[in-house]
Each structure stands twice: as C-alpha cells, then as structure tokens.
Amino acid sequence: MSKDNHHCFHCHLPIPGTPPFHADVDGIQQPMCCPGCKAVTEAIIAGGLNSYYQHRTDPGLQAGSITRRLQEELLIYDRDEIQNDFVIAVDSSLKQASLLIEGITCAACIWLLESHISTLTGVDRVSVNLSTHEAQVVWNPEQIPLSTLLLHIHRIGYKAHPWRADRQEALLKEENRRFIRRLALAGIGTMQVMMYAIALYSGAITNDMSDAYRDFIRYISALVATPVILYSAAPFFKAALRDLRVRHLSMDVPVSIAIGGAYIASLWATINGSGEVYFDSVSMFTFFLLMGRYLELRARHATSRAARALQNLLPSSCLKLVDGEYVRVPAQELQKNDFVRVLPGDSVPADGIITCGSSRFDESMLTGENRPVAHQGGDIVIGGSLNVENAIELKVTQTGAETRMSAIMQLLNHARHDKPAIARMADRVAVWFVASVLIVATTVYWYWSAAAAEDAFWITLSVLVVTCPCALSLATPTALTAATGHLHQLGFLITKGHVLEGLEKITHVVFDKTGTLTRGNIELSEVRMVSQSHSESDVIQIAAALEAHSEHPIAKAFQTTTSTLSVQTVKTYTAQGVEGVIDGNVYRIGKPDFCLPDNSPARPEGTGQWLLLSQNHTALCWFRMMDDSLRQEACEVVSQLQNRGITVTLLSGDQTNVVATVAEELNINHWQAQASPDDKLEFIRQQQQRGERVLMVGDGINDVPVLAGADISLAMGTASDLAKTSADAVLLSNDLSRLLDAWQLARKTRSVIRQNLTWSLLYNLSALPLAAAGLIAPWMAAIGMALSSLIVVGNALRLGGQQKNSRVPVSECSEPPSVYNPAIRI
Amino acid sequence: MESLFILIPLAVLFIALAIRLFFWAVDSGQFDDLEGPAHSILYEDKTIKPETDTCQSSGKKKPLES
C-alpha cells in the first residue's frame, strides 16, 4: 500500500526530500512524515492490526503526538462531575460512555478502533457507528480509568471527545427511524397492492373476471393501502395543511390532493362496485415520494451532524493556582481574580492581567495580525490568544460572557441573523403548477359533466393521478443529495443547504490572506554560510535542536528537520532568540545583536527575516526566513475565477506591504490591508448593496462575523472551530482548487435540476391531454408515473462522484488523495 | 379458485407479520448505521474475548442499543 518514498505511509501527505522517519511494516521500512504518524503506525502494528493497512480505502489523518499536556487534560475526564454529562452506569461495576471520534476516514477505522479498544483489560464492549462517528464504550472503571481508554484511542491516531447525545441528536435519530419505518411500510405495501393490481388489470383486459373476485381483490387492496396512506403518507398531508394555513402553495399541496383524492375515490369505487381503483398508484406515489424525502433527510442530517462534529467538545483546561500549587482544571471553572499559569503553546483561558513573566502572544484570531505581540507584566491579555514564548502567570479579570471573545460571538449572531435566504426553485415551480393543475382539473370536470356525466368524475381523477408531481418533487432533492455527496468525497463539506444553489449566482469572491491564500506559516528559504567550519546540514541540525525548545512561530519552520543532537541548559529570550549548549559549545540563534552583542554583522541583502546562528560568539551562518508562502494552487484558482468574470478581492488584517506583495503575485487588483473585522463586514455590506453576491473564504475567529455576513461563506479545514461551525461550507481538504470543482458541480447540478424539471413537466403536459380525453387507464397512469420518476432519479445520480473502489491500490491514483476527515458519507 | 379467499388473507397476515418484524428491527437500532456493518464482514476477527458479560441476562435492555 505504500505509494512511494515521497508520501507518508500512514497519512499519505507528501514528504519533501528524504523521509525523516521510518516504521517497520511487515518487514518493510515505510516512510513516515512525523513522529506522530510513526507512533501511530507502530501502535497499530504492535497491536497485530496490520490488516487495517490492507483494507483501508482512505489514508489516515496526520497524527498529532501525545504530549504530557494532553495526558493531563484527559485525566480531567476521570472526574465524576465531568463524566455526569456523557457517562451512564450500566450496573454496579460497569459504566457506558458516549464518545465522538474524530479522524474516522473509512470502514477500516471502525474495525481498527473496535479491535484495539476491545482487547484492553476492563473494557466490556465497544461499538463504533460509521455513519455518525459515535462510539459507545462499556468499561469497568475499577480496572481501567476512562482517561487511559481515551489515551489508547489517541495512540492509534484518533481523537475522542465526550459526546452528549443532546436532545437534537435524539430527535434526529427518532426522525430517521420513523422515516425508515414509513419507507418500509410503503415499499412492502406497494409490492402487495401491485400484485393484486396485476390481477385486476388482466381481469379488466380479458374481461372474464367475475365481480365477486374483482370486489374481493379490491377490498384486499384497500386493506393493504390504508395503512400506507394513514401512516406513510401522513407527512405530506400534515405539510399540505400547514402550508394552506399560511396561504402558501408548496409541492405538498398537489401531492396531497392527488393521493387523498385518488384514495377516497378508490374506496368509494370499491364499496359501490363501480368505477376505477387507483390503490396501486397511490401506494407507489407514496413510496417514491418518501424515497425522495428520505434522501433529502439523509443529506440534511449529514450536514447538521457534520456541523456539530466540527464543534470541538473538549473543555479547554488551564493551570489554576490552588493553595500554592498549580492544578489543571476545566476553563469554565475559572472565576474573576483567580491566578492562572499559561505555558508556552497554550491559549489564554480568559481575559486577564499578567502578574509575572513576559511573553509574546499570537492574537491573529482576534486581530488578523499574524505576528505575535509582546506583553509584559501589567499588560492585559485577551482570552483565546495563544502564548507562543514563555510561561506567564496572570490574574483573571473577565470570564465567560464578558470576554472579548464573547463580544465577537455576539457580533456573529447579529450578522447571521440577517442572512439572505435563497428560495428553492422547485417551490417556485410548485406555485404555478398547483394553480394550473387545479384549473385544468376543474375545466375537465366541467366539460365532461356536460358531455358524459357518469364518466366526469373518473376522468377528472385520472387527470389528477397522471399529473401528480411525483417526478417534479423528486427532481430537486435527488440532484442536491447526489451533488452534496460527491463534494463531500472531494473534501468540500456543505453544512448549510443553500450553498449549491447560491454558488452559481456569486459575482464577487473575497479572500482572507493568512491561512487561506497562504499556508499561514514561516519557512526556511535559504541558508547563507558565514564560516566554513560546518556543513549546511550541520547548522540546520543545530538550529533545529535549539528551536525545538521554542514555541515561536519561527521555530515551526525548523520542525520539518529532526535533530539527533541533545541540548543542555536551554534559555529562550523573549523577542531575542534561543541559547543552548551542545557538546560543550554555546550556541545562540536569533537576532544578530543577541547572538553577537559586541560585533554583530550586517544583515545580508534580501527580503525576509534573517536569523543568525553563532557558536561561542562567532557567527556560523544566516537563515533566511520567508513569511508565509502562497498555497501552490492559489494563483490558478484566482485567475480561473477572474476568467469567469468574477471580481476577486483580498481583505486582510495584515500589514500593507505584506498584503500588497501577495496581491501583486496573484494579480488581484482590489485589496485592503489592516482591515478590522468590522471593516471587512462593512465592505461586504457595501458590495451587497451594490447588488453583488459575495462569497467569503477565510479562517480564524476574526473572520467569523464576516463569514456570517457573506451570501456564502467557506471556511478552511484548518480554521478555528468557531469559524467552521458558522460557515456554510468547510474546505476539509484545504485545497482551494476544490472551490472550482464545487463551482463546476453547482453549475452541473443546476442544469440537472433544470433537465429534471423540464422532463417531468413535459411528461405531465403530454399525459394531461390524453387523460383529459379519457384515454388513460389506471395501469397506464401507474407505468407512466414509475418511469418518469426513475428517469429523474437516474439523471440525478449522474452527479454522484465515482464510487471509491477499495480494491484499487492507491499507487494508481494520479494525484495524492487529499487528507480530510469526512464526518459522514451520504 | 375459491382457495383465493383463504390464501390471499393468509398472505396479508404474513405481510403484517413481516412489517411487525421490520418495525421491531428499526426500533432496536439495527438501521442506525447503514454503512459500517457492510464492511465489517471483511475483517477477520482474531480477538475472541471470553464472555464475561454480566448484563447479557435476559429481559434487560442492552444499553448499546439505546
């Protein structure tokens, strides 16, 4: 299953250069991109679960490494007051926990999780649901604490969050079950009634069936069709009544008229022993329509579940001072005037004042500024910002609803409130369709009651049955469901229903810069040697060893190389650099006047940040750090959009010169730098007032109100959870070119919907005169209706993606599969 | 042909039973995951655990089906 030496065996992410890690899989050294993936692969192999790699159809997610902090956080889950939310006692010794597992990509994951967890001592049973990603674990807390269980799940490369099956979830489940019951009853009932109908038709054609048999079979048909109407078709009648009460015509109205009318007329014919019966058509209507509705429901559930799966349920924890010691507690427990210790790499749990220490903070999710801001003792730091350098202590001043972050949330709710709604095409068709059907039916009845009074009622009924908009109401939901599923496979997750319909009408695309058009990180682009005592790979090794102890964004650039050197006595100096001792030599990396305070050399020419590395106060080399490289597909995507006549704007909170460079590289003429969230929202409002329809692509919390204000919003897969849950769609694969795919598919979906509507209208219009002339027998109506529905569904299925074939080795794929976590396959 | 008067009602009775059975299956959660079980047959199950099940006793609703 290994692709080649340039892709990680576990997660298939490309590895530039030689693979830094290897793991032994079935005697072959497979390339690994990071220690996390290596650990996961080794855990899977050690557990004897190798067949995961043979059976999986999607790569695993890139694994994070298990830190001490994670272990401490998981320990919080052993507390009873936390467990109350998601754990129930099964009996005196066993408990059952509901978990939501993150990182499930295909069926092999389910097997891997179940096999691995069930072998642990103290675990009684475990079952994982592939559709909803919920896991139910029954375990004995005496033998194994829950935190250990969760740690084991992390160890094989997944994340487990406590999952409270809230009321909404229970409702979804109940709704799903009710639908399956209705569908089954309608399906089985239809089959039965069709059998009796065949007998009736053949009797009617050969004309040799005695009335006793005919009436008996009609009664039996009525008996079977009645529960189908009363139970399965109930939602249509309810919806039609609701719509009529608010004086609104929807698809449910003609459907209910046809089903109800035909059923009552057939019942009347059965009792009187005259006329025609339509029990088969009525049951079939119900079955086909329910089929369409069920597809719609699955898509709706999947998107709402996907939206909720994105909400990270981990209670963020922090270190609080209790009786002179720092203890890890859930962040919600914080009170005003508590003292908290924030380690480098942690986010600040609440607004507060620094009482001890100084550090730099990444406030990009609030301000969009992606360079860390330095704060000393006495400064106010904002909850939600990320501490990137040193441990600090702070006194909490604001918690919960009073923090700056909550203010942003309120802005978001305000923006979301007045989102432009896009009406559904089928419902617009429905209004005049219903009206015309009713007019035609009345006219037909009036004409025939003058010509042949005894036939008038039956001919009118056949008109209603023939024009029942079965195909018409299947046209839109089937197409939307197929397209949504296809996009999901591509890593473009739609969480709100109007995206596919609205995407076509977009005239203006607004991009955020950091993390959207760019990768949002700093990279090492050049090494310029000063002394010849070391080779280039040596100095990179030294720098990586030193920077491994820093949380500064620059340090991340060195994380791709792993150093075998061990460093003693490391000190990080805020806004200066790092000092450490390797093999008795003192090394410093950072600003030139920090490394060589006495005679710092002049910076080399060239843009970017230059870091100096010194050994015992002699300069070794310069590292050129380049900000934020563009995503490789960004240029292509922007020019493609512009070719389609769409205005592209770059809005960023970053500094002017940086934004200008990016805009120039991408040929974006409209750009605005140092824009606050309010500025961005204002800009979008202005565009909308000019009649533009705006698509916003962004990440980070500062974009959230802006995302909500746009007609359609798209969040990157790396975006903050809040941004993802408030966006209309999420780019799970982080590949901007998927936006173009989505665009194309939206166009195709629209044309398929058009074709479907046209076809079903054509069918109805051509059948109508025949029915009005009294030429349509019940069996013809049934066949016509079934065929037209099947054609519509078949046409919609063309939008579905290629079904992945698990038997095709991945090496035959032309491009590396994108790594993402599909929440639910539809 | 008179046998139809017996046979058809019998068939209807069977259908009613089938529907009852199906409803029971839906309500006991067998249709909650329509994808996972389809794949699970492909994996050989090497880990056979001893039955140490205390809540498999009859008449008790299994919580996993909740």
Side-chain angles (χ1 to χ4, degrees):
Chain A
M1 277 290 288
S2 164
K3 289 167 61 65
D4 49 45
N5 236 5
H6 303 295
H7 289 89
C8 175
F9 178 74
H10 179 74
C11 71
H12 292 183
L13 281 180
I15 305 172
T18 40
F21 302 94
H22 286 91
D24 185 344
V25 181
D26 298 336
I28 302 166
Q29 290 292 311
Q30 298 288 9
M32 294 284 155
C33 66
C34 64
C37 284
K38 180 178 155 82
V40 165
T41 307
E42 281 168 352
I44 289 171
I45 300 298
L49 305 172
N50 316 21
S51 44
Y52 163 73
Y53 287 113
Q54 286 144 32
H55 289 298
R56 65 180 183 172
T57 51
D58 290 292
L61 279 190
Q62 187 175 20
S65 20
I66 296 172
T67 55
R68 248 199 65 203
R69 170 153 181 261
L70 177 76
Q71 295 184 16
E72 282 179 1
E73 273 191 345
L74 292 177
L75 280 176
I76 292 182
Y77 291 135
D78 289 340
R79 298 182 180 195
D80 282 340
E81 72 265 21
I82 303 282
Q83 282 197 4
N84 280 345
D85 281 344
F86 64 100
V87 173
I88 50 171
V90 178
D91 57 23
S92 54
S93 65
L94 293 174
K95 285 185 172 177
Q96 176 176 334
S98 313
L99 305 171
L100 188 71
I101 312 278
E102 209 183 300
I104 291 178
T105 55
C106 67
C109 299
I110 305 288
W111 173 82
L112 180 65
L113 281 159
E114 287 185 354
S115 322
H116 184 70
I117 302 302
S118 60
T119 50
L120 302 172
T121 37
V123 176
D124 186 67
R125 302 192 280 286
V126 57
S127 76
V128 187
N129 183 330
L130 176 60
S131 317
T132 58
H133 293 196
E134 280 172 64
Q136 303 286 344
V137 187
V138 178
W139 89 109
N140 184 341
E142 306 287 307
Q143 289 179 299
I144 186 168
L146 183 63
S147 55
T148 315
L149 271 181
L150 298 177
L151 199 64
H152 273 283
I153 294 176
H154 277 268
R155 206 159 275 161
I156 51 171
Y158 302 92
K159 288 190 184 118
H161 307 297
W163 175 244
R164 222 189 359 255
D166 51 2
R167 270 195 52 228
Q168 197 191 356
E169 185 65 25
L171 284 176
L172 286 188
K173 200 177 232 170
E174 190 44 47
E175 194 183 10
N176 191 35
R177 286 180 179 181
R178 248 203 322 266
F179 240 99
I180 294 179
R181 282 206 299 258
R182 289 204 168 104
L183 202 57
L185 180 65
I188 296 173
T190 302
M191 285 188 243
Q192 289 302 308
V193 181
M194 288 297 260
M195 280 197 326
Y196 307 136
I198 298 277
L200 287 175
Y201 294 151
S202 58
I205 290 166
T206 54
N207 229 342
D208 60 355
M209 196 182 215
S210 73
D211 278 1
Y213 282 112
R214 192 198 64 181
D215 288 345
F216 174 65
I217 292 179
R218 280 186 175 188
Y219 271 108
I220 293 284
S221 304
L223 179 72
V224 177
T226 304
V228 174
I229 302 302
L230 292 184
Y231 182 71
S232 297
F236 304 127
F237 295 125
K238 277 186 198 145
L241 278 176
R242 194 192 54 218
D243 288 334
L244 286 176
R245 270 199 214 108
V246 295
R247 305 268 170 98
H248 168 79
L249 285 177
S250 72
M251 244 350 160
D252 291 316
V253 177
V255 165
S256 301
I257 291 175
I259 292 180
Y263 173 73
I264 289 167
S266 308
L267 217 51
W268 192 65
T270 305
I271 293 164
N272 285 333
S274 65
E276 304 280 10
V277 289
Y278 287 92
F279 290 121
D280 54 327
S281 301
V282 166
S283 308
M284 201 164 40
F285 276 155
T286 310
F287 180 60
F288 278 153
L289 288 167
L290 275 175
M291 203 73 174
R293 294 287 158 97
Y294 183 62
L295 284 175
E296 224 177 338
L297 171 111
R298 291 266 318 246
R300 209 160 26 106
H301 281 197
T303 52
S304 79
R305 226 181 245 122
R308 272 174 312 127
L310 293 171
Q311 291 176 4
N312 188 340
L313 299 161
L314 259 178
S316 55
S317 65
C318 60
L319 291 166
K320 178 178 141 186
L321 187 66
V322 181
D323 309 327
E325 276 194 32
Y326 284 103
V327 191
R328 203 163 266 290
V329 298
Q332 303 103 294
E333 287 183 15
L334 282 184
Q335 304 278 339
K336 212 164 159 170
N337 300 330
D338 278 347
F339 285 89
V340 184
R341 186 176 168 84
V342 185
L343 299 174
D346 284 7
S347 47
V348 179
D351 294 3
I353 296 174
I354 300 184
T355 54
C356 172
S358 68
S359 178
R360 275 146 49 108
F361 296 86
D362 178 352
E363 295 176 352
S364 61
M365 69 311 200
L366 289 151
T367 57
E369 165 69 55
N370 70 343
R371 291 202 187 149
V373 185
H375 286 298
Q376 280 84 34
D379 287 3
I380 292 178
V381 282
I382 303 160
S385 55
L386 186 74
N387 180 3
V388 294
E389 239 161 32
N390 307 311
I392 52 135
E393 277 154 40
L394 62 92
K395 183 176 164 189
V396 177
T397 54
Q398 310 276 18
T399 57
E402 291 145 358
T403 52
R404 278 276 304 276
M405 192 72 95
S406 307
I408 290 196
M409 294 284 287
Q410 278 156 12
L411 189 62
L412 154 75
N413 289 335
H414 181 75
R416 200 190 286 173
H417 201 69
D418 47 19
K419 187 150 198 129
I422 298 173
R424 315 253 339 221
M425 218 187 321
D427 269 350
R428 286 201 297 277
V429 174
V431 173
W432 63 262
F433 181 86
V434 179
S436 43
V437 163
L438 292 178
I439 290 166
V440 168
T442 327
T443 321
V444 168
Y445 185 75
W446 170 80
Y447 170 80
W448 281 100
S449 56
E454 68 278 8
D455 292 337
F457 178 74
W458 298 113
I459 287 172
T460 314
L461 186 66
S462 76
V463 166
L464 279 178
V465 170
V466 158
T467 55
C468 179
C470 195
L472 198 60
S473 46
L474 285 174
T476 317
T478 47
L480 285 180
T481 307
T484 309
H486 184 181
L487 280 176
H488 196 162
Q489 281 183 5
L490 295 175
F492 187 101
L493 176 69
I494 290 176
T495 55
K496 309 271 192 319
H498 66 262
V499 173
L500 271 173
E501 291 166 86
L503 206 52
E504 266 265 299
K505 303 191 185 78
I506 293 294
T507 56
H508 195 137
V509 178
V510 177
F511 283 103
D512 180 42
K513 182 182 78 72
T514 313
T516 305
L517 288 173
T518 65
R519 291 179 196 284
N521 51 15
I522 296 174
E523 286 172 352
L524 174 64
S525 70
E526 189 190 346
V527 182
R528 201 168 290 186
M529 303 303 297
V530 178
S531 83
Q532 300 307 321
S533 56
H534 292 65
S535 72
E536 191 170 307
S537 62
D538 282 349
V539 292
I540 293 179
Q541 285 269 329
I542 294 165
L546 292 170
E547 291 284 8
H549 297 268
S550 164
E551 287 282 349
H552 194 278
I554 285 186
K556 288 200 183 110
F558 289 97
Q559 277 178 2
T560 47
T561 44
T562 45
S563 184
T564 48
L565 304 168
S566 65
V567 191
Q568 280 91 35
T569 55
V570 186
K571 288 195 202 112
T572 51
Y573 296 85
T574 304
Q576 295 291 322
V578 185
E579 179 189 272
V581 181
I582 303 173
D583 299 335
N585 293 317
V586 179
Y587 291 96
R588 280 185 168 198
I589 184 167
K591 289 191 173 167
D593 51 1
F594 159 75
C595 299
L596 304 171
D598 312 326
N599 53 344
S600 55
R603 277 167 201 269
E605 290 298 304
T607 52
Q609 272 180 292
W610 289 92
L611 291 184
L612 188 63
L613 176 69
S614 70
Q615 176 187 17
N616 305 333
H617 298 293
T618 48
L620 285 182
C621 67
W622 290 99
F623 293 110
R624 184 178 181 181
M625 312 305 291
M626 288 300 273
D627 248 2
D628 230 14
S629 60
L630 283 174
R631 289 184 190 275
Q632 54 197 25
E633 72 276 6
C635 207
E636 175 70 10
V637 171
V638 169
S639 67
Q640 285 262 15
L641 287 173
Q642 285 167 335
N643 288 348
R644 293 178 191 186
I646 290 158
T647 329
V648 178
T649 305
L650 176 60
L651 285 185
S652 171
D654 227 334
Q655 293 152 356
T656 311
N657 55 356
V658 183
V659 181
T661 320
V662 171
E664 197 177 346
E665 262 183 88
L666 295 172
N667 285 328
I668 299 178
N669 303 331
H670 313 269
W671 55 272
Q672 198 180 333
Q674 288 171 324
S676 70
D678 292 347
D679 294 343
K680 291 184 188 177
L681 193 56
E682 184 53 34
F683 175 83
I684 286 183
R685 288 265 183 275
Q686 275 173 11
Q687 296 301 322
Q688 284 172 336
Q689 275 158 14
R690 286 177 37 200
E692 299 261 11
R693 290 190 171 271
V694 185
L695 167 75
M696 168 87 198
V697 190
D699 73 338
I701 291 181
N702 63 314
D703 292 322
V704 167
V706 194
L707 287 173
D711 292 87
I712 294 182
S713 53
L714 180 61
M716 303 300 283
T718 46
S720 60
D721 293 337
L722 181 64
K724 280 194 238 176
T725 46
S726 59
D728 300 326
V730 182
L731 213 46
L732 292 170
S733 57
N734 281 321
D735 181 352
L736 285 176
S737 47
R738 294 286 178 244
L739 176 58
L740 298 174
D741 293 340
W743 216 287
Q744 222 155 8
L745 199 65
R747 197 159 291 188
K748 212 169 142 190
T749 306
R750 201 182 170 82
S751 69
V752 165
I753 291 178
R754 283 244 164 92
Q755 287 160 11
N756 279 354
L757 290 175
T758 314
W759 158 253
S760 41
L761 283 175
L762 266 178
Y763 156 76
N764 277 334
L765 286 176
S766 55
L768 188 76
L770 292 176
L775 297 173
I776 297 258
W779 61 272
M780 293 180 199
I783 288 176
M785 188 196 74
L787 271 182
S788 66
S789 301
L790 289 175
I791 286 174
V792 163
V793 173
N795 190 28
L797 288 179
R798 292 190 307 135
L799 290 168
Q802 289 296 312
Q803 271 304 313
K804 283 200 188 122
N805 188 344
S806 54
R807 308 202 69 82
V808 177
V810 184
S811 51
E812 289 180 20
C813 295
S814 53
E815 52 174 305
S818 49
V819 177
Y820 67 93
N821 169 13
I824 307 102
R825 280 274 157 67
I826 297 163
Chain B
M1 286 301 274
E2 281 79 21
S3 57
L4 282 183
F5 290 113
I6 305 272
L7 290 176
I8 289 181
L10 262 180
V12 172
L13 207 67
F14 276 120
I15 294 307
L17 273 176
I19 288 173
R20 275 299 306 273
L21 201 67
F22 189 86
F23 277 21
W24 166 83
V26 172
D27 288 344
S28 62
Q30 296 190 31
F31 286 80
D32 287 356
D33 184 1
L34 298 173
E35 290 162 68
H39 299 274
S40 63
I41 56 162
L42 298 172
Y43 299 106
E44 43 209 281
D45 210 2
K46 287 183 214 140
T47 53
I48 298 163
K49 283 189 69 183
E51 281 293 320
T52 52
D53 214 325
T54 43
C55 60
Q56 290 278 6
S57 54
S58 59
K60 199 161 192 175
K61 192 166 189 301
K62 297 194 199 93
L64 277 181
E65 294 172 354
S66 64

